Amino acid sequence: MGILNKLMRNAGEVSSEKLTEKFGALLIPNEQIELGFKLLRDTFIFTNKRLILIDVQGFTGSKQEYLSLPYKSISRFSLETAGTFDLDAELKIWVSSEANPSVSKKFNKSIDVYAVQKFLAEKILT
């Protein structure tokens, strides 16, 4: 199922140690990676201070965009769980008063999407 998930661009969890090793230069003092996911080429990271989205661009992947979303700028989010025929769950995040979600990411069934939702709710609502 792993190759199918990659082809369908579903996210899989990555350890915070591996993410810190690779993206530690993006972190500010006292910032720690708490949760992270990798798509085929892209990565998104939940730290104790913000959400960081890494968008790998171009054919070679040498160009990357780093989007930083402080939790206080996230106005709302939604979670659509996986179904019988729809094998992935989807998380959508809106920033400020935007009409359309700024972020939309798919998770495979191996990810506890309720735990991801709880994590995000704790960061935004407290």
Side-chain angles (χ1 to χ4, degrees), residues 55-124:
D55 179 18
V56 177
Q57 301 172 352
F59 182 72
T60 63
S62 60
K63 182 177 179 180
Q64 297 181 7
E65 177 185 13
Y66 299 91
L67 176 64
S68 177
L69 296 172
Y71 294 122
K72 65 181 179 182
S73 69
I74 298 173
S75 61
R76 63 190 189 275
F77 62 93
S78 72
L79 177 67
E80 180 182 301
T81 60
T84 304
F85 297 107
D86 186 11
L87 300 176
D88 55 316
E90 187 172 11
L91 176 67
K92 295 178 184 176
I93 300 172
W94 285 261
V95 174
S96 300
S97 61
E98 292 181 346
N100 296 316
S102 303
V103 176
S104 180
K105 298 293 179 185
K106 293 188 178 196
F107 296 85
N108 61 40
K109 282 193 170 185
S110 70
I111 304 300
D112 181 356
V113 292
Y114 294 104
V116 174
Q117 183 278 150
K118 183 177 180 179
F119 178 88
L120 189 55
E122 288 175 351
K123 294 297 184 185
I124 294 170

Side-chain angles (χ1 to χ4, degrees), residues 15-85:
S15 75
S16 58
E17 293 82 17
K18 284 185 180 181
L19 292 170
T20 301
E21 183 180 310
K22 187 167 184 179
F23 299 109
L26 298 173
L27 305 177
I28 63 170
N30 299 319
E31 184 176 23
Q32 299 172 344
I33 294 174
E34 296 181 347
L35 191 61
F37 300 94
K38 177 127 176 87
L39 290 146
L40 191 58
R41 292 174 41 166
D42 301 338
T43 306
F44 62 108
I45 300 168
F46 294 95
T47 76
N48 58 326
K49 300 188 181 289
R50 61 188 163 147
L51 173 60
I52 303 171
L53 301 163
I54 299 117
D55 179 18
V56 177
Q57 301 172 352
F59 182 72
T60 63
S62 60
K63 182 177 179 180
Q64 297 181 7
E65 177 185 13
Y66 299 91
L67 176 64
S68 177
L69 296 172
Y71 294 122
K72 65 181 179 182
S73 69
I74 298 173
S75 61
R76 63 190 189 275
F77 62 93
S78 72
L79 177 67
E80 180 182 301
T81 60
T84 304
F85 297 107

